[in-house]
């Protein structure tokens, strides 16, 4: 769990409103700001959207009103802030389904994503789960796995960067919960809004694709702290201090494929590495606070380096104590994951925590749904994980149980769907 911070990115772009049947005002128009008029259940509207409240209804809270744009240079869900609820789901194309069926599926998914992210109902067969909620910062992000290209006859368009990840000695991977032809990341600040999107995407798959695996995650709810703070993981550690930030000179270079990149259809896209990392919490919680901090290299209370200062104070890797011992141990997680200790390798981490119940022996099945973004996994995740594999103190307290690598193309322009340059190029 490389130690990097994640910024919040708000988007204010607007798009045409879709009138609600018989009302002349769209649900999206009602939900666009924190002071938007709320909605009530109503029979009018159908596929065109929900019915507007006729009079003074309760305004949506700011958490529910925040909207992320679907269309743009990059897909949503990469640089946006951590969301309170997430679903990761992989699909395999059905037997006999190929490029034509995949294109139709991505067209359906993109249309659904655009509507749901705007706080509107699905075009057909909406379940009403999110009827009285706003957009809630919903994002849907789509990617292609290595196997997708053979299934669709597009092997020549498969990026070299999508070659399978190498084996790592600490891996204990469940193949049934790894990889997949297609991958969808769903995030929202409301659990019902996120589930609504998950159900819509599954229904849209129809006979073209079937679910290979699906995982559920969560983060702290925005507004739960007095001011924005770096997230904590289930070990209680501040987790994400050194994430690259949009606006830094080399951010796009590290995270996104350039306009001139190869293959051309990946321009402005990124590569997502997805790992289900189980935390051995019973073992971790037996450690003293001092021992936990030595494993990480940072103070548990505030994320400050053991060498002093605040969370953002640069770590002094050469500092020693009175006995001449390094203050930050040589195998501390924070030391090993620093870009300057890995030839500049850096990733944009955007994870979710998970808890999938208690095993028969009382052990919690809990940990991190690790998602990281980079322009090239061979220059991002792979060198970092190899370094961790060789001697990270944290390795004794985590277990990598599933893995996937997905090519996530750039964002869709208006009138286009995600992946159109690949599937129709």
């Amino acid at each position: 769990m490389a130690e990097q911070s994640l910024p919040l990115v708000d988007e204010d772009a607007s798009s045409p409103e879709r009138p609600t049947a018989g009302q002349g005002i769209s649900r999206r128009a009602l939900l666009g700001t924190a002071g938007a008029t709320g909605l009530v259940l109503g029979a009018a509207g159908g596929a065109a959207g929900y019915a507007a409240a006729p009079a003074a209804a309760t305004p949506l809270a700011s958490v529910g009103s925040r909207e992320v744009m679907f269309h743009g240079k990059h897909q949503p869900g990469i640089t946006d802030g951590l969301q309170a609820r997430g679903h990761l789901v992989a699909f395999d194309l059905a037997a006999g389904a190929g490029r034509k069926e995949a294109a139709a599926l991505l067209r359906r998914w993109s249309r659904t994503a655009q509507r749901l992210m705007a706080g509107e109902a699905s075009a057909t067969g909406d379940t009403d789960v999110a009827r009285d909620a706003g957009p809630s910062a919903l994002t849907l992000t789509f990617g292609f796995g290595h196997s997708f290209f053979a299934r669709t006859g597009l092997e020549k368009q498969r990026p070299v960067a999508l070659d399978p990840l190498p084996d790592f000695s600490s891996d204990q991977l469940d193949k049934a919960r790894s990889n997949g032809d297609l991958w969808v990341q769903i995030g929202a600040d409301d659990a019902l809004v996120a589930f609504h999107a998950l159900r819509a995407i599954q229904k849209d798959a129809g006979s073209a694709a079937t679910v290979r695996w699906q995982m559920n995650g969560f983060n702290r709810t925005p507004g739960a702290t007095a001011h924005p703070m770096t997230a904590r993981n289930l070990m209680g550690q501040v987790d994400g201090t050194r994430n690259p930030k949009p606006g830094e000179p080399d951010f796009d270079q590290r995270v996104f494929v350039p306009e001139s990149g190869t293959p051309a259809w990946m321009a402005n896209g990124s590569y997502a590495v997805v790992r289900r990392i189980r935390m051995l919490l019973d073992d971790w919680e037996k450690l003293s606070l001092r021992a936990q901090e030595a494993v990480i290299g940072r103070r548990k209370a505030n994320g400050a380096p053991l060498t002093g200062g605040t969370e953002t104070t640069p770590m002094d890797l050469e500092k020693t104590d009175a006995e001449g011992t390094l203050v930050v141990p040589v195998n501390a997680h924070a030391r090993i994951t620093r870009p300057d200790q890995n030839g500049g390798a850096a990733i944009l981490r955007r994870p979710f925590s998970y808890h999938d119940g208690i095993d028969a022996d009382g052990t919690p099945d809990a940990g991190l749904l690790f998602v990281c973004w980079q322009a090239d996994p061979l220059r991002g995740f792979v060198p970092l994980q190899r370094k961790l594999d060789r001697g990270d103190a944290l390795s004794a307290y985590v277990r990598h149980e599933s893995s996937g690598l997905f090519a996530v193309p750039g964002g869709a322009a208006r009138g286009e769907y995600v992946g159109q340059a690949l599937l129709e190029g």
Side-chain angles (χ1 to χ4, degrees), residues 70 93 100-115 122-124 140 142 200-209 417-418:
F70 172 71
L93 290 173
K100 178 181 177 181
E101 289 76 15
L105 174 56
L106 266 297
R107 191 179 295 110
R108 290 195 298 274
W109 275 352
S110 296
R111 181 178 67 246
T112 293
Q114 179 184 358
R115 293 183 63 87
S122 299
T124 57
L140 292 96
F142 305 100
I201 289 298
Q202 182 189 3
K203 290 171 65 178
D204 276 350
S207 61
Y417 63 87
V418 173

PDB file of all heavy atoms in Angstrom, residues 70 93 100-115 122-124 140 142 200-209 417-418:
ATOM      1  N   PHE A  70     -19.532  12.784 -17.062  1.00  0.00           N
ATOM      2  CA  PHE A  70     -19.154  11.544 -17.748  1.00  0.00           C
ATOM      3  C   PHE A  70     -18.217  11.825 -18.913  1.00  0.00           C
ATOM      4  O   PHE A  70     -17.200  11.140 -19.095  1.00  0.00           O
ATOM      5  CB  PHE A  70     -20.407  10.817 -18.251  1.00  0.00           C
ATOM      6  CG  PHE A  70     -20.086   9.629 -19.126  1.00  0.00           C
ATOM      7  CD1 PHE A  70     -19.550   8.485 -18.584  1.00  0.00           C
ATOM      8  CD2 PHE A  70     -20.305   9.670 -20.502  1.00  0.00           C
ATOM      9  CE1 PHE A  70     -19.231   7.380 -19.386  1.00  0.00           C
ATOM     10  CE2 PHE A  70     -20.000   8.595 -21.308  1.00  0.00           C
ATOM     11  CZ  PHE A  70     -19.462   7.441 -20.752  1.00  0.00           C
ATOM     12  N   LEU A  93     -16.913 -11.906 -21.813  1.00  0.00           N
ATOM     13  CA  LEU A  93     -17.853 -11.967 -22.926  1.00  0.00           C
ATOM     14  C   LEU A  93     -18.443 -13.370 -23.019  1.00  0.00           C
ATOM     15  O   LEU A  93     -17.760 -14.365 -22.768  1.00  0.00           O
ATOM     16  CB  LEU A  93     -17.152 -11.609 -24.235  1.00  0.00           C
ATOM     17  CG  LEU A  93     -16.733 -10.140 -24.390  1.00  0.00           C
ATOM     18  CD1 LEU A  93     -15.897  -9.964 -25.651  1.00  0.00           C
ATOM     19  CD2 LEU A  93     -17.960  -9.232 -24.435  1.00  0.00           C
ATOM     20  N   LYS A 100     -18.648  -7.042 -32.413  1.00  0.00           N
ATOM     21  CA  LYS A 100     -19.927  -6.368 -32.611  1.00  0.00           C
ATOM     22  C   LYS A 100     -20.703  -6.286 -31.305  1.00  0.00           C
ATOM     23  O   LYS A 100     -21.242  -5.229 -30.944  1.00  0.00           O
ATOM     24  CB  LYS A 100     -20.736  -7.107 -33.671  1.00  0.00           C
ATOM     25  CG  LYS A 100     -22.111  -6.520 -33.930  1.00  0.00           C
ATOM     26  CD  LYS A 100     -22.867  -7.325 -34.981  1.00  0.00           C
ATOM     27  CE  LYS A 100     -24.276  -6.786 -35.201  1.00  0.00           C
ATOM     28  NZ  LYS A 100     -25.015  -7.600 -36.219  1.00  0.00           N
ATOM     29  N   GLU A 101     -20.767  -7.402 -30.588  1.00  0.00           N
ATOM     30  CA  GLU A 101     -21.511  -7.429 -29.335  1.00  0.00           C
ATOM     31  C   GLU A 101     -20.831  -6.563 -28.270  1.00  0.00           C
ATOM     32  O   GLU A 101     -21.492  -5.907 -27.464  1.00  0.00           O
ATOM     33  CB  GLU A 101     -21.637  -8.872 -28.838  1.00  0.00           C
ATOM     34  CG  GLU A 101     -22.566  -9.750 -29.654  1.00  0.00           C
ATOM     35  CD  GLU A 101     -21.958 -10.211 -30.987  1.00  0.00           C
ATOM     36  OE1 GLU A 101     -20.709 -10.090 -31.149  1.00  0.00           O
ATOM     37  OE2 GLU A 101     -22.708 -10.686 -31.859  1.00  0.00           O
ATOM     38  N   ALA A 102     -19.487  -6.570 -28.285  1.00  0.00           N
ATOM     39  CA  ALA A 102     -18.755  -5.747 -27.329  1.00  0.00           C
ATOM     40  C   ALA A 102     -19.016  -4.263 -27.580  1.00  0.00           C
ATOM     41  O   ALA A 102     -19.190  -3.480 -26.635  1.00  0.00           O
ATOM     42  CB  ALA A 102     -17.263  -6.051 -27.410  1.00  0.00           C
ATOM     43  N   ALA A 103     -19.046  -3.862 -28.839  1.00  0.00           N
ATOM     44  CA  ALA A 103     -19.312  -2.464 -29.167  1.00  0.00           C
ATOM     45  C   ALA A 103     -20.706  -2.053 -28.710  1.00  0.00           C
ATOM     46  O   ALA A 103     -20.901  -0.964 -28.142  1.00  0.00           O
ATOM     47  CB  ALA A 103     -19.146  -2.240 -30.667  1.00  0.00           C
ATOM     48  N   ALA A 104     -21.686  -2.914 -28.949  1.00  0.00           N
ATOM     49  CA  ALA A 104     -23.050  -2.603 -28.520  1.00  0.00           C
ATOM     50  C   ALA A 104     -23.133  -2.502 -27.000  1.00  0.00           C
ATOM     51  O   ALA A 104     -23.841  -1.644 -26.452  1.00  0.00           O
ATOM     52  CB  ALA A 104     -24.010  -3.676 -29.036  1.00  0.00           C
ATOM     53  N   LEU A 105     -22.384  -3.370 -26.302  1.00  0.00           N
ATOM     54  CA  LEU A 105     -22.389  -3.348 -24.842  1.00  0.00           C
ATOM     55  C   LEU A 105     -21.766  -2.060 -24.312  1.00  0.00           C
ATOM     56  O   LEU A 105     -22.326  -1.409 -23.421  1.00  0.00           O
ATOM     57  CB  LEU A 105     -21.626  -4.562 -24.305  1.00  0.00           C
ATOM     58  CG  LEU A 105     -21.422  -4.617 -22.790  1.00  0.00           C
ATOM     59  CD1 LEU A 105     -22.754  -4.541 -22.054  1.00  0.00           C
ATOM     60  CD2 LEU A 105     -20.651  -5.882 -22.406  1.00  0.00           C
ATOM     61  N   LEU A 106     -20.620  -1.659 -24.862  1.00  0.00           N
ATOM     62  CA  LEU A 106     -19.975  -0.424 -24.392  1.00  0.00           C
ATOM     63  C   LEU A 106     -20.832   0.795 -24.715  1.00  0.00           C
ATOM     64  O   LEU A 106     -20.829   1.777 -23.969  1.00  0.00           O
ATOM     65  CB  LEU A 106     -18.600  -0.292 -25.004  1.00  0.00           C
ATOM     66  CG  LEU A 106     -17.414  -0.840 -24.190  1.00  0.00           C
ATOM     67  CD1 LEU A 106     -17.262  -0.076 -22.887  1.00  0.00           C
ATOM     68  CD2 LEU A 106     -17.559  -2.328 -23.911  1.00  0.00           C
ATOM     69  N   ARG A 107     -21.588   0.713 -25.796  1.00  0.00           N
ATOM     70  CA  ARG A 107     -22.501   1.808 -26.128  1.00  0.00           C
ATOM     71  C   ARG A 107     -23.605   1.890 -25.071  1.00  0.00           C
ATOM     72  O   ARG A 107     -23.948   2.979 -24.598  1.00  0.00           O
ATOM     73  CB  ARG A 107     -23.102   1.594 -27.519  1.00  0.00           C
ATOM     74  CG  ARG A 107     -23.851   2.792 -28.073  1.00  0.00           C
ATOM     75  CD  ARG A 107     -24.394   2.522 -29.460  1.00  0.00           C
ATOM     76  NE  ARG A 107     -23.321   2.323 -30.450  1.00  0.00           N
ATOM     77  CZ  ARG A 107     -23.043   1.158 -31.026  1.00  0.00           C
ATOM     78  NH1 ARG A 107     -23.766   0.077 -30.734  1.00  0.00           N
ATOM     79  NH2 ARG A 107     -22.060   1.061 -31.902  1.00  0.00           N
ATOM     80  N   ARG A 108     -24.153   0.733 -24.682  1.00  0.00           N
ATOM     81  CA  ARG A 108     -25.198   0.721 -23.644  1.00  0.00           C
ATOM     82  C   ARG A 108     -24.627   1.207 -22.309  1.00  0.00           C
ATOM     83  O   ARG A 108     -25.245   2.016 -21.609  1.00  0.00           O
ATOM     84  CB  ARG A 108     -25.775  -0.692 -23.478  1.00  0.00           C
ATOM     85  CG  ARG A 108     -26.612  -1.184 -24.638  1.00  0.00           C
ATOM     86  CD  ARG A 108     -27.435  -2.404 -24.252  1.00  0.00           C
ATOM     87  NE  ARG A 108     -26.628  -3.554 -23.858  1.00  0.00           N
ATOM     88  CZ  ARG A 108     -26.117  -4.459 -24.706  1.00  0.00           C
ATOM     89  NH1 ARG A 108     -26.304  -4.306 -26.025  1.00  0.00           N
ATOM     90  NH2 ARG A 108     -25.428  -5.493 -24.268  1.00  0.00           N
ATOM     91  N   TRP A 109     -23.468   0.691 -21.942  1.00  0.00           N
ATOM     92  CA  TRP A 109     -22.878   1.070 -20.667  1.00  0.00           C
ATOM     93  C   TRP A 109     -22.583   2.569 -20.608  1.00  0.00           C
ATOM     94  O   TRP A 109     -22.815   3.208 -19.588  1.00  0.00           O
ATOM     95  CB  TRP A 109     -21.590   0.276 -20.449  1.00  0.00           C
ATOM     96  CG  TRP A 109     -21.819  -1.087 -19.848  1.00  0.00           C
ATOM     97  CD1 TRP A 109     -22.994  -1.589 -19.365  1.00  0.00           C
ATOM     98  CD2 TRP A 109     -20.829  -2.101 -19.648  1.00  0.00           C
ATOM     99  NE1 TRP A 109     -22.808  -2.861 -18.879  1.00  0.00           N
ATOM    100  CE2 TRP A 109     -21.487  -3.204 -19.037  1.00  0.00           C
ATOM    101  CE3 TRP A 109     -19.474  -2.198 -19.934  1.00  0.00           C
ATOM    102  CZ2 TRP A 109     -20.801  -4.369 -18.700  1.00  0.00           C
ATOM    103  CZ3 TRP A 109     -18.801  -3.357 -19.600  1.00  0.00           C
ATOM    104  CH2 TRP A 109     -19.455  -4.436 -18.992  1.00  0.00           C
ATOM    105  N   SER A 110     -22.080   3.110 -21.700  1.00  0.00           N
ATOM    106  CA  SER A 110     -21.760   4.544 -21.712  1.00  0.00           C
ATOM    107  C   SER A 110     -23.020   5.388 -21.587  1.00  0.00           C
ATOM    108  O   SER A 110     -23.038   6.406 -20.879  1.00  0.00           O
ATOM    109  CB  SER A 110     -21.005   4.902 -22.998  1.00  0.00           C
ATOM    110  OG  SER A 110     -19.751   4.250 -23.060  1.00  0.00           O
ATOM    111  N   ARG A 111     -24.091   4.991 -22.281  1.00  0.00           N
ATOM    112  CA  ARG A 111     -25.349   5.726 -22.183  1.00  0.00           C
ATOM    113  C   ARG A 111     -25.881   5.672 -20.751  1.00  0.00           C
ATOM    114  O   ARG A 111     -26.319   6.687 -20.192  1.00  0.00           O
ATOM    115  CB  ARG A 111     -26.373   5.137 -23.149  1.00  0.00           C
ATOM    116  CG  ARG A 111     -27.727   5.878 -23.119  1.00  0.00           C
ATOM    117  CD  ARG A 111     -28.703   5.291 -24.120  1.00  0.00           C
ATOM    118  NE  ARG A 111     -29.096   3.937 -23.764  1.00  0.00           N
ATOM    119  CZ  ARG A 111     -28.793   2.857 -24.479  1.00  0.00           C
ATOM    120  NH1 ARG A 111     -28.085   2.971 -25.590  1.00  0.00           N
ATOM    121  NH2 ARG A 111     -29.180   1.656 -24.091  1.00  0.00           N
ATOM    122  N   THR A 112     -25.822   4.493 -20.138  1.00  0.00           N
ATOM    123  CA  THR A 112     -26.297   4.354 -18.766  1.00  0.00           C
ATOM    124  C   THR A 112     -25.442   5.161 -17.801  1.00  0.00           C
ATOM    125  O   THR A 112     -25.959   5.838 -16.905  1.00  0.00           O
ATOM    126  CB  THR A 112     -26.305   2.866 -18.362  1.00  0.00           C
ATOM    127  OG1 THR A 112     -27.286   2.176 -19.132  1.00  0.00           O
ATOM    128  CG2 THR A 112     -26.619   2.693 -16.884  1.00  0.00           C
ATOM    129  N   ALA A 113     -24.124   5.112 -17.988  1.00  0.00           N
ATOM    130  CA  ALA A 113     -23.231   5.857 -17.106  1.00  0.00           C
ATOM    131  C   ALA A 113     -23.514   7.355 -17.179  1.00  0.00           C
ATOM    132  O   ALA A 113     -23.564   8.045 -16.149  1.00  0.00           O
ATOM    133  CB  ALA A 113     -21.778   5.573 -17.469  1.00  0.00           C
ATOM    134  N   GLN A 114     -23.703   7.862 -18.373  1.00  0.00           N
ATOM    135  CA  GLN A 114     -23.979   9.287 -18.550  1.00  0.00           C
ATOM    136  C   GLN A 114     -25.249   9.691 -17.809  1.00  0.00           C
ATOM    137  O   GLN A 114     -25.293  10.710 -17.111  1.00  0.00           O
ATOM    138  CB  GLN A 114     -24.104   9.631 -20.026  1.00  0.00           C
ATOM    139  CG  GLN A 114     -24.418  11.091 -20.298  1.00  0.00           C
ATOM    140  CD  GLN A 114     -24.638  11.376 -21.775  1.00  0.00           C
ATOM    141  OE1 GLN A 114     -24.519  10.491 -22.608  1.00  0.00           O
ATOM    142  NE2 GLN A 114     -24.960  12.608 -22.103  1.00  0.00           N
ATOM    143  N   ARG A 115     -26.294   8.894 -17.931  1.00  0.00           N
ATOM    144  CA  ARG A 115     -27.564   9.218 -17.287  1.00  0.00           C
ATOM    145  C   ARG A 115     -27.461   9.125 -15.765  1.00  0.00           C
ATOM    146  O   ARG A 115     -27.880  10.028 -15.037  1.00  0.00           O
ATOM    147  CB  ARG A 115     -28.664   8.296 -17.810  1.00  0.00           C
ATOM    148  CG  ARG A 115     -29.018   8.521 -19.277  1.00  0.00           C
ATOM    149  CD  ARG A 115     -30.173   7.597 -19.689  1.00  0.00           C
ATOM    150  NE  ARG A 115     -31.368   7.908 -18.941  1.00  0.00           N
ATOM    151  CZ  ARG A 115     -32.261   8.834 -19.295  1.00  0.00           C
ATOM    152  NH1 ARG A 115     -32.069   9.543 -20.405  1.00  0.00           N
ATOM    153  NH2 ARG A 115     -33.325   9.055 -18.569  1.00  0.00           N
ATOM    154  N   SER A 122     -32.173   5.195 -15.385  1.00  0.00           N
ATOM    155  CA  SER A 122     -31.726   4.428 -16.542  1.00  0.00           C
ATOM    156  C   SER A 122     -32.707   4.629 -17.684  1.00  0.00           C
ATOM    157  O   SER A 122     -33.893   4.930 -17.464  1.00  0.00           O
ATOM    158  CB  SER A 122     -31.648   2.936 -16.203  1.00  0.00           C
ATOM    159  OG  SER A 122     -30.735   2.701 -15.164  1.00  0.00           O
ATOM    160  N   ALA A 123     -32.227   4.455 -18.909  1.00  0.00           N
ATOM    161  CA  ALA A 123     -33.092   4.675 -20.069  1.00  0.00           C
ATOM    162  C   ALA A 123     -34.246   3.689 -20.095  1.00  0.00           C
ATOM    163  O   ALA A 123     -35.351   4.020 -20.520  1.00  0.00           O
ATOM    164  CB  ALA A 123     -32.272   4.578 -21.353  1.00  0.00           C
ATOM    165  N   THR A 124     -34.018   2.464 -19.661  1.00  0.00           N
ATOM    166  CA  THR A 124     -35.077   1.448 -19.638  1.00  0.00           C
ATOM    167  C   THR A 124     -34.944   0.610 -18.376  1.00  0.00           C
ATOM    168  O   THR A 124     -33.832   0.358 -17.903  1.00  0.00           O
ATOM    169  CB  THR A 124     -34.982   0.505 -20.853  1.00  0.00           C
ATOM    170  OG1 THR A 124     -33.682  -0.106 -20.887  1.00  0.00           O
ATOM    171  CG2 THR A 124     -35.208   1.264 -22.155  1.00  0.00           C
ATOM    172  N   LEU A 140     -18.471   5.987 -13.116  1.00  0.00           N
ATOM    173  CA  LEU A 140     -18.332   4.659 -13.708  1.00  0.00           C
ATOM    174  C   LEU A 140     -17.157   4.707 -14.672  1.00  0.00           C
ATOM    175  O   LEU A 140     -17.059   5.621 -15.495  1.00  0.00           O
ATOM    176  CB  LEU A 140     -19.604   4.230 -14.446  1.00  0.00           C
ATOM    177  CG  LEU A 140     -20.824   3.977 -13.552  1.00  0.00           C
ATOM    178  CD1 LEU A 140     -21.701   5.212 -13.485  1.00  0.00           C
ATOM    179  CD2 LEU A 140     -21.629   2.787 -14.072  1.00  0.00           C
ATOM    180  N   PHE A 142     -14.537   2.263 -17.233  1.00  0.00           N
ATOM    181  CA  PHE A 142     -14.544   1.005 -17.986  1.00  0.00           C
ATOM    182  C   PHE A 142     -13.158   0.680 -18.527  1.00  0.00           C
ATOM    183  O   PHE A 142     -12.433   1.570 -18.987  1.00  0.00           O
ATOM    184  CB  PHE A 142     -15.531   1.096 -19.150  1.00  0.00           C
ATOM    185  CG  PHE A 142     -16.926   1.476 -18.728  1.00  0.00           C
ATOM    186  CD1 PHE A 142     -17.381   2.784 -18.864  1.00  0.00           C
ATOM    187  CD2 PHE A 142     -17.769   0.541 -18.173  1.00  0.00           C
ATOM    188  CE1 PHE A 142     -18.654   3.147 -18.464  1.00  0.00           C
ATOM    189  CE2 PHE A 142     -19.056   0.889 -17.765  1.00  0.00           C
ATOM    190  CZ  PHE A 142     -19.505   2.185 -17.913  1.00  0.00           C
ATOM    191  N   ALA A 200     -27.669  -1.647 -12.705  1.00  0.00           N
ATOM    192  CA  ALA A 200     -27.940  -1.202 -14.069  1.00  0.00           C
ATOM    193  C   ALA A 200     -26.903  -1.742 -15.040  1.00  0.00           C
ATOM    194  O   ALA A 200     -27.232  -2.183 -16.150  1.00  0.00           O
ATOM    195  CB  ALA A 200     -27.978   0.323 -14.119  1.00  0.00           C
ATOM    196  N   ILE A 201     -25.642  -1.722 -14.643  1.00  0.00           N
ATOM    197  CA  ILE A 201     -24.571  -2.222 -15.499  1.00  0.00           C
ATOM    198  C   ILE A 201     -24.723  -3.726 -15.725  1.00  0.00           C
ATOM    199  O   ILE A 201     -24.544  -4.236 -16.845  1.00  0.00           O
ATOM    200  CB  ILE A 201     -23.201  -1.905 -14.862  1.00  0.00           C
ATOM    201  CG1 ILE A 201     -22.914  -0.409 -14.944  1.00  0.00           C
ATOM    202  CG2 ILE A 201     -22.081  -2.698 -15.516  1.00  0.00           C
ATOM    203  CD1 ILE A 201     -22.827   0.131 -16.348  1.00  0.00           C
ATOM    204  N   GLN A 202     -25.065  -4.445 -14.680  1.00  0.00           N
ATOM    205  CA  GLN A 202     -25.255  -5.891 -14.824  1.00  0.00           C
ATOM    206  C   GLN A 202     -26.420  -6.190 -15.769  1.00  0.00           C
ATOM    207  O   GLN A 202     -26.336  -7.074 -16.624  1.00  0.00           O
ATOM    208  CB  GLN A 202     -25.502  -6.527 -13.458  1.00  0.00           C
ATOM    209  CG  GLN A 202     -25.673  -8.046 -13.537  1.00  0.00           C
ATOM    210  CD  GLN A 202     -26.124  -8.643 -12.214  1.00  0.00           C
ATOM    211  OE1 GLN A 202     -26.367  -7.920 -11.244  1.00  0.00           O
ATOM    212  NE2 GLN A 202     -26.256  -9.954 -12.169  1.00  0.00           N
ATOM    213  N   LYS A 203     -27.512  -5.456 -15.626  1.00  0.00           N
ATOM    214  CA  LYS A 203     -28.667  -5.675 -16.498  1.00  0.00           C
ATOM    215  C   LYS A 203     -28.334  -5.323 -17.942  1.00  0.00           C
ATOM    216  O   LYS A 203     -28.755  -6.010 -18.877  1.00  0.00           O
ATOM    217  CB  LYS A 203     -29.853  -4.859 -16.007  1.00  0.00           C
ATOM    218  CG  LYS A 203     -30.451  -5.364 -14.692  1.00  0.00           C
ATOM    219  CD  LYS A 203     -31.483  -4.398 -14.140  1.00  0.00           C
ATOM    220  CE  LYS A 203     -32.694  -4.295 -15.045  1.00  0.00           C
ATOM    221  NZ  LYS A 203     -33.726  -3.382 -14.477  1.00  0.00           N
ATOM    222  N   ASP A 204     -27.560  -4.255 -18.138  1.00  0.00           N
ATOM    223  CA  ASP A 204     -27.167  -3.856 -19.488  1.00  0.00           C
ATOM    224  C   ASP A 204     -26.314  -4.914 -20.177  1.00  0.00           C
ATOM    225  O   ASP A 204     -26.294  -5.007 -21.407  1.00  0.00           O
ATOM    226  CB  ASP A 204     -26.370  -2.548 -19.444  1.00  0.00           C
ATOM    227  CG  ASP A 204     -27.252  -1.308 -19.416  1.00  0.00           C
ATOM    228  OD1 ASP A 204     -28.474  -1.442 -19.617  1.00  0.00           O
ATOM    229  OD2 ASP A 204     -26.715  -0.211 -19.187  1.00  0.00           O
ATOM    230  N   ALA A 205     -25.583  -5.695 -19.395  1.00  0.00           N
ATOM    231  CA  ALA A 205     -24.724  -6.724 -19.996  1.00  0.00           C
ATOM    232  C   ALA A 205     -25.553  -7.739 -20.765  1.00  0.00           C
ATOM    233  O   ALA A 205     -25.101  -8.280 -21.784  1.00  0.00           O
ATOM    234  CB  ALA A 205     -23.897  -7.412 -18.912  1.00  0.00           C
ATOM    235  N   GLY A 206     -26.764  -7.996 -20.298  1.00  0.00           N
ATOM    236  CA  GLY A 206     -27.673  -8.892 -21.002  1.00  0.00           C
ATOM    237  C   GLY A 206     -27.034 -10.229 -21.327  1.00  0.00           C
ATOM    238  O   GLY A 206     -26.392 -10.864 -20.475  1.00  0.00           O
ATOM    239  N   SER A 207     -27.158 -10.650 -22.577  1.00  0.00           N
ATOM    240  CA  SER A 207     -26.594 -11.928 -23.011  1.00  0.00           C
ATOM    241  C   SER A 207     -25.193 -11.780 -23.581  1.00  0.00           C
ATOM    242  O   SER A 207     -24.586 -12.756 -23.998  1.00  0.00           O
ATOM    243  CB  SER A 207     -27.506 -12.558 -24.072  1.00  0.00           C
ATOM    244  OG  SER A 207     -27.609 -11.708 -25.221  1.00  0.00           O
ATOM    245  N   ALA A 208     -24.655 -10.552 -23.566  1.00  0.00           N
ATOM    246  CA  ALA A 208     -23.340 -10.315 -24.173  1.00  0.00           C
ATOM    247  C   ALA A 208     -22.194 -10.677 -23.245  1.00  0.00           C
ATOM    248  O   ALA A 208     -21.103 -11.030 -23.718  1.00  0.00           O
ATOM    249  CB  ALA A 208     -23.220  -8.853 -24.589  1.00  0.00           C
ATOM    250  N   ALA A 209     -22.409 -10.572 -21.936  1.00  0.00           N
ATOM    251  CA  ALA A 209     -21.319 -10.815 -20.995  1.00  0.00           C
ATOM    252  C   ALA A 209     -21.874 -11.283 -19.658  1.00  0.00           C
ATOM    253  O   ALA A 209     -23.016 -10.971 -19.296  1.00  0.00           O
ATOM    254  CB  ALA A 209     -20.491  -9.539 -20.803  1.00  0.00           C
ATOM    255  N   TYR A 417     -19.022   6.701 -27.330  1.00  0.00           N
ATOM    256  CA  TYR A 417     -19.021   5.808 -26.179  1.00  0.00           C
ATOM    257  C   TYR A 417     -17.589   5.409 -25.849  1.00  0.00           C
ATOM    258  O   TYR A 417     -16.677   5.528 -26.669  1.00  0.00           O
ATOM    259  CB  TYR A 417     -19.901   4.575 -26.434  1.00  0.00           C
ATOM    260  CG  TYR A 417     -19.455   3.679 -27.564  1.00  0.00           C
ATOM    261  CD1 TYR A 417     -18.538   2.648 -27.364  1.00  0.00           C
ATOM    262  CD2 TYR A 417     -19.961   3.856 -28.862  1.00  0.00           C
ATOM    263  CE1 TYR A 417     -18.146   1.805 -28.403  1.00  0.00           C
ATOM    264  CE2 TYR A 417     -19.582   3.018 -29.901  1.00  0.00           C
ATOM    265  CZ  TYR A 417     -18.672   2.003 -29.661  1.00  0.00           C
ATOM    266  OH  TYR A 417     -18.286   1.178 -30.694  1.00  0.00           O
ATOM    267  N   VAL A 418     -17.371   4.952 -24.641  1.00  0.00           N
ATOM    268  CA  VAL A 418     -16.028   4.559 -24.200  1.00  0.00           C
ATOM    269  C   VAL A 418     -15.535   3.391 -25.027  1.00  0.00           C
ATOM    270  O   VAL A 418     -16.244   2.405 -25.213  1.00  0.00           O
ATOM    271  CB  VAL A 418     -16.043   4.196 -22.702  1.00  0.00           C
ATOM    272  CG1 VAL A 418     -14.693   3.634 -22.275  1.00  0.00           C
ATOM    273  CG2 VAL A 418     -16.406   5.401 -21.848  1.00  0.00           C
TER     274      VAL A 418
END
